[in-house]
Structure formats: structure tokens, C-alpha cells
Amino acid sequence: MQINVETKPVGSAAYDARKKRLVETIDRLYLREARAPLQKMISRIHPADMAAILDDLPPAHVVDIFHAIADTAMAADVFNQLPADRRTQLLTESSIEKLAGVLEHLPPDDLADLIGELPEDQREQLMALLGRDSKDEVESLLQYDPNSAGGIMTTDFFSLPHSLSVEEAIENIRSREDVEMVFYLYLTDEMGRLVGVVSLRQLLLTRAGTPLHKVMNRRVMKVTTDTDQTTVAMLVDKYRLLAIPVVDEDNVLVGMVTVDDVIDVIEEETTRDMLKMAGTSESETLTHSALKIATIRLPWLLAAFIGGLAATAVIGRYEEILGQVLVLSAFLPVIMGMAGNVGVQSATVAVRGLATGAIDVKDTLPLVLKELRVGLALGAFYGVILAVYGYFMHHSLQLGQVVGLTILGNMTGAALLAVLLPMIFQRMKVDPAVATGPFVTTAIDILGVLNYFVIASWIYKL
Amino acid sequence: MQINVETKPVGSAAYDARKKRLVETIDRLYLREARAPLQKMISRIHPADMAAILDDLPPAHVVDIFHAIADTAMAADVFNQLPADRRTQLLTESSIEKLAGVLEHLPPDDLADLIGELPEDQREQLMALLGRDSKDEVESLLQYDPNSAGGIMTTDFFSLPHSLSVEEAIENIRSREDVEMVFYLYLTDEMGRLVGVVSLRQLLLTRAGTPLHKVMNRRVMKVTTDTDQTTVAMLVDKYRLLAIPVVDEDNVLVGMVTVDDVIDVIEEETTRDMLKMAGTSESETLTHSALKIATIRLPWLLAAFIGGLAATAVIGRYEEILGQVLVLSAFLPVIMGMAGNVGVQSATVAVRGLATGAIDVKDTLPLVLKELRVGLALGAFYGVILAVYGYFMHHSLQLGQVVGLTILGNMTGAALLAVLLPMIFQRMKVDPAVATGPFVTTAIDILGVLNYFVIASWIYKL
């Protein structure tokens, strides 16, 4: 836990100005080949800021300036916080040998993630250069699903035998400067099984000679290596933990997930939800080619496209009506657009509510009834306006009736469907974020068009 | 920091089954009026779980069972984690006198939030019942903007004069059991100004007699009371802090924001972004009436509606063409829908990337160029299919050309606009989440319709 940090808030004008000055100074020192002053200047910058500075430097200078970071532990910290494209640049443009010393300092979980993303040949090259310990840790971490507790945990945790005394425990903490964050002391038995936990503060409150198992808390909140990362995040959030221990199937302590990993999980899951709702995927990254990105977005669009063609076919069947009442086609976009809009609103409220826990599956009926009323209210409002507009623009009472009734029906139906489906998906353990996806959207579109022409045939008596 | 927690993960089948059993047992004990066993059972449940249990109990029993929580500190903890509608129920159905003792145990920031939401008369009634200290704290917290560091900070922090010795500091920590979480010790001078920080772990590593100002870190990352909550969250996330101190304009330490508050801010901001993108607002809650919710969603829909009417007018102007080539109207929905879909994909990638920091404003040009290519690739793909479909369905080469070219142009334009606008908004310090809002959507719609008929007039030589 580093606390020696810059005091200007990220994103503030003062921070931006300061960062700009640092970028310029560092680049100037680099161009003048003033290596000693460059190293000294860099050593005083917080790793998180140094990563931001490297991102702003001319790409051609980045690799050299990165290697001017004298302290390999700091270099690892900086590397860890670089944007993906800069990391890729470093991995491709500097020799693996030169980087191995730096990467060895990465927390094992981050190192494993990185190695997991490398192409096969680079992966083997790097693994061969790692020390025995790092290699073993990485290999064991690589077995776990990246979205499980095992995949996000660090093996850099701190545990002690529960038979030690408080005094011995404190002595132990003093001697171990390398571990990431210590707030809870996990206590294990002689088989390495997790048996209790004690907070650093409790240690301070207890007399030196007391054995740890007398003061430890035996009901430890824990997860297993295969627990889903979303569940881990929910637990840490719900019980306001700073870290949660991870055990294997025999209750042997194998790692811990800290609250900063949980923040990453929450951001990642939210991004995934949002992209899923929009019909793309988190596998799309800035470094992908346009063609690759297009391929990722294509399937969702394809489903929507097939739905669109189906709508085209439906409209084609009613060509006769259209031929007689041409103006009906002018109202197609507004009628379909409004239903789509209200549907997205309802679905977003439901999907986000389920994700944050504000909405529970047991709320389905009241929620659906409420959305029914919301849809009716909005549909009635826009129905009346559209009816009046249709009547006055085209001096046709029939047109007014048709468009007014259709938009009322379509908006109500869309709101209803858009809240009902996420709730059903959640109950069926399907990700509710897909509920705004192609099938629902095109179902609303096709039913909406059909409704339009059925009402039109009826009112125009065609 | 409570670590005595249930060991079944939230949302797991085992947790659900256990919760269901507890709900049934508690309700049975309540109905049998077995007060002592009820209190004993409740006292063994974690507050976070008790809140979830209260949410599942029959609403008519909730108030009585809540008041069966013997320990007021636990009751406060439970209250704090109840869903909004249950909190409202407790506030309206139990006497303020009975609740005051419980609420006094809430962390000052949560108490202030709660009081800020109460109707005027209840607020005064409750304030009058609070102890002097709580009242002062709440009053000072209520002055701050709820979205600022002052609005989310707790005044329940732990600070010590920097003149103390390590030994005295440890003694002090031992004597203060009430403070929320201690991981950093904030150190102040005789004027209460923040001068340094020391971690609990550093205390353990230092000899007892050393004065704190000799070991403290002087470069403390801090924020002022008016710092925006998003900035606070970014700082804590970026520098991986567990808490950040909050100072006033004279650098006097007035509070701290902890990492769990930051998780709440991140979830709140994300929800706000998603709702904004969908055209509703976080002011919409489950407790609102359908009419109120409809009113909140109405403005965005109104803007889209006006855009829709404009599109109607545009189509109306081309009625002559439509009369001659009726089938053009059948393709309207698919052409507009596809452009809208690809636009939402591009906008979501940009908005979310900006929010998580994966995308920076300086990436505008490469990103826009990439989306241009993505739009072209997708537009070409669907253009060819639609052209072929149009040709074979209606045996018209002209129709194929019109629909193919239009969808190519509209999808490319939509992708371009949908990524360009969020980037421009971000640069102008306008929330990029509004970029998927009504103006952009309807602009894409209207331009799309226009493009359709312009291409149609040209190809059909009308």
C-alpha cells in the first residue's frame, strides 16, 4: 500500500498542468540524454502518475524512458497501470530479458493475467526467465477461470499459524515488508486450512502473550477458488470487507481478493453489461483492427437485421393499404422509434436495478404492473398529441385515430415487455442485460408494425 | 469493520435456502410472541443479512420485528442497509422517539443523508431528539453538496496530533473502539491542519518512543470538501487507497471518505450514466408512482418525439416518390433501425471508455477514424445483403441500389457521429452520456430518412 502520492486530484486543471510540465521536462531530459537527472526525476513520481505520463509521451520515446525507471519494483508498478496499448508496445519493443526482471515484481495475479494474454511463444520465453517461485505461482493461477475468485485472487497474502501468540504475530508482521496490504491476519491450522481471522487492530488491543486462537474470529467470510467474481464483489460490497480469503475444496487458504480488485470487477462487470445491452462485447478493445471490431459487433446487428427484414415483409403484405393511405408510411418511423425508446428506458431501469440489487426477482409483479401504468401514461400522452397532429396535418379523423391508438398500444406493450423479460431472464439465471438485445428489440418492432396495420385496416375498414 | 459474518455467499442456493429458513423461523417466533428467543436469534445474525431478511418478511410485521433488535448499534446497522421503501416504512410507522435512539448510532454521513431526504416536519422532530454531538455533525454535513467529498465523507475519522510518540498513538487506538475503520492514522498540527499520515502497519514497525512526525509521510493525498465525488472515487481507485482525508479551505482535517463509500459512488455514477443514456434519470425510484416515473421519462421522449414528427414531415415531402415506389416505405424501418443500432454500439464504447479512463480525449482522431472504418465495413456488409434482398424480392435493380447505398451511408454516418459527439462533449466538459440522447438519435433519424429519399430520387431519376 503506497501512500506517498501526488496531491493534485486527477482530472483537475492543476493536475493536468502539472502532468503536462512533467511530460515536457522528462522528454527534454531524455532528448538531451541526461540520464542521471531523468532517473532522479522519475523516482520522485508516483507510479500511477508515471503511467499516465508515459501514455502522454511521444510513442517513440516510451520504451527508453520506461527503462530509465531505476527501481524495478516501481517499474513493475508503472507497467501494471499502463494502458493496454502501451503495455503491448513494451512487450513487443523491448527484449523479454530486459522486462523479465521488472515483471517478476508484479503481483502474482496481475502477472498471471498478463501471461495469459501473451501469444504462445512470448509466454514460454517469459516463463523460462521467471524465478522458480513466480513461475509456480503463475502456473497455479493460470489454471483458474479468469472470472472466478481463483482468477482474480492474489497469492501474496499474509497468514500465520493460529498457535502463535499475539507477540509472535506482531514480530512476524514486522519482518515481512513485501506483502501487499495487511489489515486482516488469516490464521491457519497445521494443514494450512483457514480457521480464523484477526484484524490488525485487534492485535493492538490484546495482551502480548495471548495465543491467536483465543482472540480470533472463527466465522470467517470466505470464498472458494471457483466462486464467480460477481459473487465475490457482492460479498465484499455487502459486508464492507477490505479483503476476502480464498480457499480450495479442502478449506486450505490459497489466496485473497482485496477491495481494489473488487472495484475492478465492478467496473468490468458494468462495462460488460453496458456493452451487452448495446449489442457488442468487452472483447472489443482499442488495439483491435476495425475489421475485427466489425466482426464482434456483427452478430447482434445480424439478428436485428433479420428482424428488420421480417418487418419489411410484414409491411410488404400490407402494400395495398399503404397504396390507398400513403401517409401511413410517413408515421412508421415515429411509431416504431417511440416504442423502442420507452422500451430501452424500462429495460435499463430493470437491468441496472437487478445488477445493483435495488430490484429483486420477487418484485416482478409490482414492477411489471407499474411499468404497465407508466407505459399507458406515456402512450396516452403521445397518443393524444400524435392523433391531434395527424388529424390537423392531414385533415383526417381516421389517421388521427390510427396513429394515436397504435402509439398507445405499442408504447404500453414495449414498456411491459422490456421490464418483464429481464425479470424472467434473472429468474432463469440468464444475464438480464441481453434483454435489450436483438430478439426483444425486433419482436417489439415486428409486433409494432403488425399492430399499426391491423388498427389501420380496422379503422379504414380496408 | 465487522468481520463476524455469515459464510454462505449471497445469491447462492445455500444462502437463499438459509435465508428462507431464517425468515420463516423469525416470523413464527414473532407470531407466537416469543420475544426472548426472537431477540436472541436476531442478535446472532449479521446486520447485512438481517436487512435482507426484514425485506422478505410480511410488511405488516417488519416494524415490530425491527424493534425486536435489542442492540441499538446493530439496529442502526440494519436500518442503514434496508432498501429505501422499508426505511420509509419504518420512518412513517414507528414513532420518531423510538427511532431516534437507533438513528443516533448511524455513521454521521448516513444520518445526514437520511435527514436530508426527510420531509421538513419530520426532519425538525428528529433533529430535536438527537444528542448535541450528532446534531452538530449532521448540521455541518448538511451544508455540503451531496455529490461532493463533503457530502459523502464521514466525520467519524481518527486523527492524532503529530507531536505524539508511537507508543502514545497505539495507546490512543486501543482506547477508541467506536471509530469505523482505522488503517491510516491522519496526523494534525495544533490548528487541526492535516500534516501527515502513518499507516497502522508503520506504527508496528517503529520503536515505541519515536515521535509520529519523524515517521509520518508528509505528502498526503487529500481532497477538499467541495471536490466532486467522481474525482474522489478516481483518486481512491487510481492510487489504490483505503481511505482519503477531506480538508477544508484552511487544510483543517474535517473528515474522510472510505473505499466502501467509493464503491457506492462508482455504482451510483454508473447507474446515472446508464439511465442517462437510456433517457431517464436516477431520481426515478421504486417508491415513485407510475405517473411520477412517466413524468421523469417524458422530456427525453418528447425530444425524440419532436424528431420523429420532423422525420414524418420529411417523408411527407417525398410522398410523390413513395406513391410511385410504394416498396420504399417497407424498407424505412430496417434502414433507420440498423443505423440506430450501430450508433448505440459506437456511442456505448466511447461513453464507457471515457468513464473508465480506457479512452482519453487525445485519442479522438484515431478513434473516429477507426469507427469510420468499422461503420464502412458493417455498412458494406449489410448494404450488399440488403441490395441483393431488395433486388430478388422485388426484381428491381434500382431498389437494390437505393437500399444498399442508403444503409451503407447511414450506418457509416451513425457510427461516426456516435463516437465523435461523446469525444466532443468530454472535451467541452459536458457529460458524454447524453450523447446517445434525443438530439443525436433524432439527428441520425432525420438525416437518414433524407439520405434515403435523396438517393431514391437520384437512382429512380424522379
Side-chain angles (χ1 to χ4, degrees):
Chain A
M1 196 68 213
Q2 176 118 15
I3 43 173
N4 178 10
V5 289
E6 296 306 327
T7 54
K8 301 288 176 232
V10 188
S12 71
Y15 173 86
D16 289 345
R18 190 165 182 284
K19 192 172 84 172
K20 190 152 176 277
R21 267 203 312 281
L22 281 171
V23 167
E24 286 163 2
T25 314
I26 286 173
D27 205 37
R28 206 161 43 233
L29 289 174
Y30 166 74
L31 290 172
R32 277 205 274 129
E33 300 185 26
R35 196 163 172 84
L38 178 64
Q39 288 196 329
K40 194 174 164 207
M41 159 141 266
I42 290 176
S43 70
R44 288 206 310 253
I45 299 172
H46 188 280
D49 293 318
M50 190 60 210
I53 288 167
L54 279 174
D55 191 30
D56 279 5
L57 280 163
H61 305 169
V62 164
V63 174
D64 283 348
I65 295 176
F66 176 80
H67 287 297
I69 303 173
D71 177 26
T72 47
M74 177 182 170
D77 234 1
V78 172
F79 182 86
N80 216 6
Q81 294 178 73
L82 279 176
D85 50 345
R86 285 277 169 277
R87 280 216 298 265
T88 313
Q89 192 195 347
L90 279 169
L91 284 167
T92 43
E93 294 179 18
S94 35
S95 70
I96 286 283
E97 287 78 12
K98 212 165 172 183
L99 271 182
V102 172
L103 298 185
E104 185 113 18
H105 280 88
L106 286 183
D109 50 337
D110 295 323
L111 183 56
D113 287 348
L114 180 72
I115 288 179
E117 285 163 20
L118 286 180
E120 193 66 38
D121 57 327
Q122 274 204 326
R123 187 190 301 197
E124 277 168 23
Q125 217 182 328
L126 183 55
M127 287 292 268
L129 290 165
L130 289 180
R132 186 74 247 154
D133 280 5
S134 298
K135 203 171 154 179
D136 287 352
E137 275 177 335
V138 166
E139 271 171 358
S140 73
L141 284 173
L142 279 175
Q143 317 163 37
Y144 302 115
D145 174 354
N147 294 327
S148 71
I152 58 170
M153 74 184 183
T154 180
T155 49
D156 226 355
F157 61 91
F158 193 71
S159 74
L160 289 174
H162 71 312
S163 51
L164 296 188
S165 71
V166 165
E167 196 177 6
E168 290 168 313
I170 291 178
E171 205 42 61
N172 242 293
I173 297 172
R174 286 203 174 136
S175 65
R176 299 260 305 255
E177 280 196 65
D178 55 315
V179 282
E180 209 188 341
M181 300 193 201
V182 182
F183 1 82
Y184 305 135
L185 258 187
Y186 299 120
L187 304 175
T188 52
D189 64 14
E190 52 291 338
M191 306 289 287
R193 287 179 299 222
L194 180 66
V195 290
V197 65
V198 107
S199 76
L200 211 52
R201 204 159 143 240
Q202 275 172 286
L203 281 190
L204 286 176
L205 296 173
T206 314
R207 277 192 319 124
T210 319
L212 290 174
H213 62 80
K214 289 244 165 131
V215 289
M216 74 185 184
N217 192 321
R218 286 166 196 279
R219 299 178 72 193
V220 196
M221 172 59 87
K222 65 195 167 189
V223 291
T224 54
T225 49
D226 58 356
T227 305
D228 182 71
Q229 64 172 354
T230 318
T231 307
V232 178
M234 266 171 62
L235 285 172
V236 170
D237 185 23
K238 179 177 175 191
Y239 296 106
R240 319 236 119 187
L241 304 170
L242 296 176
I244 194 162
V246 184
V247 297
D248 66 11
E249 62 270 33
D250 301 319
N251 196 29
V252 171
L253 183 62
V254 291
M256 72 167 177
V257 176
T258 53
V259 69
D260 48 316
D261 300 319
V262 163
I263 291 181
D264 294 343
V265 168
I266 291 174
E267 299 220 313
E268 191 186 316
E269 293 283 335
T270 312
T271 303
R272 192 175 295 182
D273 266 14
M274 287 179 75
L275 294 178
K276 208 177 272 169
M277 286 181 74
T280 175
S281 123
E282 89 276 17
S283 58
E284 173 183 335
T285 70
L286 289 180
T287 48
H288 280 151
S289 70
L291 211 62
K292 173 87 192 159
I293 294 177
T295 323
I296 292 169
R297 296 193 199 167
L298 200 118
W300 190 88
L301 290 173
L302 190 63
F305 185 68
I306 292 168
L309 291 187
T312 307
V314 170
I315 299 172
R317 280 186 51 115
Y318 289 91
E319 213 164 69
E320 203 185 319
I321 297 182
L322 275 180
Q324 291 181 50
V325 196
L326 255 187
V327 69
L328 283 180
S329 63
F331 282 87
L332 261 177
V334 69
I335 282 176
M336 299 187 58
M338 291 305 283
N341 289 335
V342 86
V344 169
Q345 291 181 333
S346 303
T348 304
V349 169
V351 169
R352 188 63 191 153
L354 287 168
T356 57
I359 296 176
D360 200 342
V361 179
K362 72 175 168 53
D363 301 323
T364 305
L365 190 66
L367 209 65
V368 166
L369 289 176
K370 183 168 282 184
E371 283 296 329
L372 176 67
R373 278 175 288 148
V374 172
L376 272 172
L378 289 168
F381 181 83
Y382 289 107
V384 168
I385 304 186
L386 198 65
V388 170
Y389 175 87
Y391 171 69
F392 279 106
M393 285 298 109
H394 299 271
H395 307 291
S396 157
L397 197 59
Q398 285 171 312
L399 179 67
Q401 286 175 303
V402 171
V403 294
L405 283 176
T406 309
I407 216 165
L408 170 66
N410 288 5
M411 286 179 81
T412 308
L416 201 62
L417 214 60
V419 73
L420 189 60
L421 285 168
M423 304 304 284
I424 292 176
F425 286 165
Q426 174 86 0
R427 196 178 287 236
M428 292 171 10
K429 313 263 176 213
V430 175
D431 186 343
V434 302
T436 57
F439 298 103
V440 180
T441 318
T442 65
I444 289 179
D445 279 0
I446 296 169
L447 289 175
V449 170
L450 206 58
N451 189 35
Y452 190 26
F453 288 109
V454 167
I455 292 181
S457 327
W458 173 52
I459 301 236
Y460 283 106
K461 306 200 172 46
L462 292 169
Chain B
M1 197 68 215
Q2 177 119 14
I3 43 176
N4 178 9
V5 289
E6 295 307 327
T7 54
K8 300 287 176 233
V10 188
S12 70
Y15 173 86
D16 289 346
R18 189 165 183 282
K19 192 172 85 170
K20 188 151 176 279
R21 267 203 313 280
L22 281 171
V23 167
E24 286 163 2
T25 315
I26 287 174
D27 205 37
R28 204 162 44 234
L29 289 174
Y30 166 75
L31 290 171
R32 276 206 274 131
E33 298 185 27
R35 195 162 172 86
L38 178 63
Q39 287 196 329
K40 194 174 165 206
M41 160 142 267
I42 290 176
S43 70
R44 288 206 310 253
I45 299 172
H46 188 281
D49 293 316
M50 190 59 210
I53 289 167
L54 278 174
D55 191 30
D56 280 4
L57 281 163
H61 306 167
V62 163
V63 174
D64 281 347
I65 295 177
F66 176 81
H67 287 297
I69 303 173
D71 177 26
T72 48
M74 176 182 171
D77 235 2
V78 172
F79 182 86
N80 216 5
Q81 294 177 72
L82 279 176
D85 50 344
R86 285 279 170 275
R87 279 216 298 267
T88 313
Q89 190 195 348
L90 279 170
L91 284 167
T92 42
E93 294 179 18
S94 35
S95 70
I96 286 283
E97 286 78 11
K98 212 166 174 183
L99 270 181
V102 172
L103 299 184
E104 185 114 18
H105 280 89
L106 286 183
D109 49 337
D110 294 323
L111 183 56
D113 287 349
L114 179 72
I115 288 179
E117 285 163 19
L118 286 180
E120 192 67 36
D121 57 327
Q122 273 204 326
R123 184 189 303 195
E124 277 168 25
Q125 217 182 329
L126 183 54
M127 287 292 267
L129 289 165
L130 290 179
R132 186 75 245 155
D133 280 4
S134 299
K135 201 171 155 179
D136 286 352
E137 276 176 334
V138 166
E139 272 172 357
S140 72
L141 285 173
L142 279 175
Q143 316 162 38
Y144 302 115
D145 174 354
N147 295 325
S148 70
I152 58 171
M153 73 185 184
T154 178
T155 49
D156 226 355
F157 60 91
F158 193 70
S159 75
L160 289 175
H162 70 312
S163 51
L164 296 188
S165 70
V166 166
E167 195 178 8
E168 289 169 314
I170 292 179
E171 205 42 61
N172 241 293
I173 297 171
R174 287 203 174 138
S175 66
R176 297 260 305 255
E177 280 197 65
D178 56 317
V179 281
E180 210 189 338
M181 298 195 203
V182 182
F183 1 82
Y184 306 134
L185 256 188
Y186 299 120
L187 304 176
T188 52
D189 65 12
E190 52 292 337
M191 306 289 288
R193 288 177 299 220
L194 180 66
V195 291
V197 65
V198 109
S199 75
L200 210 52
R201 200 156 146 245
Q202 275 170 287
L203 280 190
L204 285 177
L205 296 172
T206 313
R207 279 194 316 125
T210 319
L212 292 174
H213 61 81
K214 288 243 165 130
V215 290
M216 75 185 182
N217 191 322
R218 286 168 195 279
R219 299 178 73 195
V220 196
M221 174 58 86
K222 65 195 168 189
V223 291
T224 54
T225 48
D226 57 357
T227 305
D228 181 72
Q229 65 171 355
T230 319
T231 307
V232 178
M234 267 171 62
L235 285 172
V236 170
D237 186 22
K238 178 177 176 190
Y239 296 105
R240 321 236 118 186
L241 304 170
L242 296 176
I244 194 163
V246 184
V247 296
D248 67 11
E249 63 270 32
D250 301 319
N251 196 29
V252 172
L253 183 62
V254 292
M256 72 167 179
V257 176
T258 54
V259 68
D260 49 315
D261 300 319
V262 164
I263 291 180
D264 294 344
V265 168
I266 291 174
E267 300 221 310
E268 190 186 316
E269 294 282 335
T270 313
T271 304
R272 193 175 295 180
D273 266 13
M274 288 180 75
L275 294 178
K276 209 177 273 170
M277 287 181 73
T280 175
S281 123
E282 88 278 16
S283 56
E284 174 183 334
T285 71
L286 289 180
T287 48
H288 280 152
S289 70
L291 211 61
K292 172 87 192 161
I293 293 177
T295 323
I296 292 169
R297 295 193 198 168
L298 200 119
W300 190 89
L301 291 173
L302 190 62
F305 185 68
I306 292 169
L309 291 187
T312 308
V314 170
I315 300 171
R317 279 186 50 118
Y318 289 91
E319 213 164 68
E320 206 185 316
I321 299 182
L322 276 180
Q324 292 181 46
V325 196
L326 255 185
V327 70
L328 285 180
S329 63
F331 282 87
L332 262 177
V334 70
I335 282 177
M336 300 187 58
M338 290 306 281
N341 289 337
V342 86
V344 169
Q345 291 182 333
S346 304
T348 304
V349 169
V351 169
R352 188 63 191 154
L354 287 168
T356 57
I359 296 177
D360 199 341
V361 178
K362 73 175 165 54
D363 301 323
T364 304
L365 191 65
L367 208 66
V368 166
L369 288 176
K370 182 167 280 182
E371 282 295 329
L372 176 67
R373 278 175 287 150
V374 172
L376 271 172
L378 290 168
F381 181 84
Y382 288 107
V384 169
I385 304 185
L386 198 64
V388 171
Y389 176 87
Y391 171 70
F392 279 105
M393 285 299 110
H394 299 272
H395 307 292
S396 158
L397 198 60
Q398 286 171 311
L399 179 66
Q401 288 176 302
V402 171
V403 293
L405 283 177
T406 308
I407 215 165
L408 170 66
N410 288 4
M411 285 179 82
T412 309
L416 202 63
L417 213 60
V419 72
L420 189 60
L421 285 168
M423 303 305 284
I424 293 177
F425 287 163
Q426 175 86 357
R427 198 178 285 240
M428 293 175 6
K429 313 263 176 213
V430 176
D431 185 345
V434 302
T436 55
F439 298 103
V440 181
T441 318
T442 65
I444 290 178
D445 279 0
I446 296 169
L447 288 175
V449 169
L450 206 57
N451 189 35
Y452 190 27
F453 288 108
V454 167
I455 291 181
S457 324
W458 172 53
I459 302 237
Y460 283 106
K461 303 199 174 47
L462 293 168

